[in-house]
Amino acid sequence: MKVVAAYLLARLGGNTCPSIEDLKNIFGSVGADASEDRIELLLSEVKTKDITELIVAGKERLASVPSVGSGFAAAAQPTYDAPAEATKEEKVEEEEEPDDDLMLDMSLFG
């Protein structure tokens, strides 16, 4: 998948016919390695094809892949209840302090 991503980045950058070296340079720029065999395979597969048609075909194939509902995504999200409760307690404490100051000020006036 990373070879495909590098190829698409090269195309997005304006390179209409990325070479093995072009893709290796992209990987090198982020400190990643890639198999030259995989790069050659991808380039041989996309050599005669239009990139727009490849993207459309890829979207169609992804549409047929079963996906997990939103319940799973919500369950995977970390919860941070403890800090939220602590914030509520701090707000309560802050509200109490001005009341004490008000009482003190009232006693000064009479």
Side-chain angles (χ1 to χ4, degrees), residues 10-98:
R11 291 294 306 261
L12 185 63
N15 188 343
T16 58
C17 188
S19 67
I20 293 172
E21 289 304 315
D22 293 332
L23 298 185
K24 283 185 173 183
N25 288 336
I26 291 172
F27 286 118
S29 71
V30 294
D33 293 323
S35 166
E36 192 168 318
D37 294 336
R38 289 182 184 235
I39 295 173
E40 287 177 4
L41 176 63
L42 174 77
L43 293 178
S44 68
E45 291 292 321
V46 299
K47 189 179 205 177
T48 60
K49 298 180 180 161
D50 179 46
I51 188 71
T52 307
E53 291 174 9
L54 289 171
I55 291 172
V56 169
K59 283 184 179 181
E60 289 172 0
R61 291 181 78 184
L62 281 176
S64 67
V65 175
S67 62
V68 179
S70 62
F72 177 76
Q77 295 293 326
T79 57
Y80 300 102
D81 292 337
E85 290 173 7
T87 304
K88 289 178 186 177
E89 289 174 9
E90 290 174 4
K91 287 181 182 179
V92 170
E93 289 176 13
E94 290 175 6
E95 290 174 6
E96 291 173 3
E97 290 177 356

Side-chain angles (χ1 to χ4, degrees), residues 1-11 18 22-23 26-27 42:
M1 196 64 164
K2 64 183 178 180
V3 176
V4 173
Y7 176 80
L8 291 173
L9 283 171
R11 291 294 306 261
D22 293 332
L23 298 185
I26 291 172
F27 286 118
L42 174 77

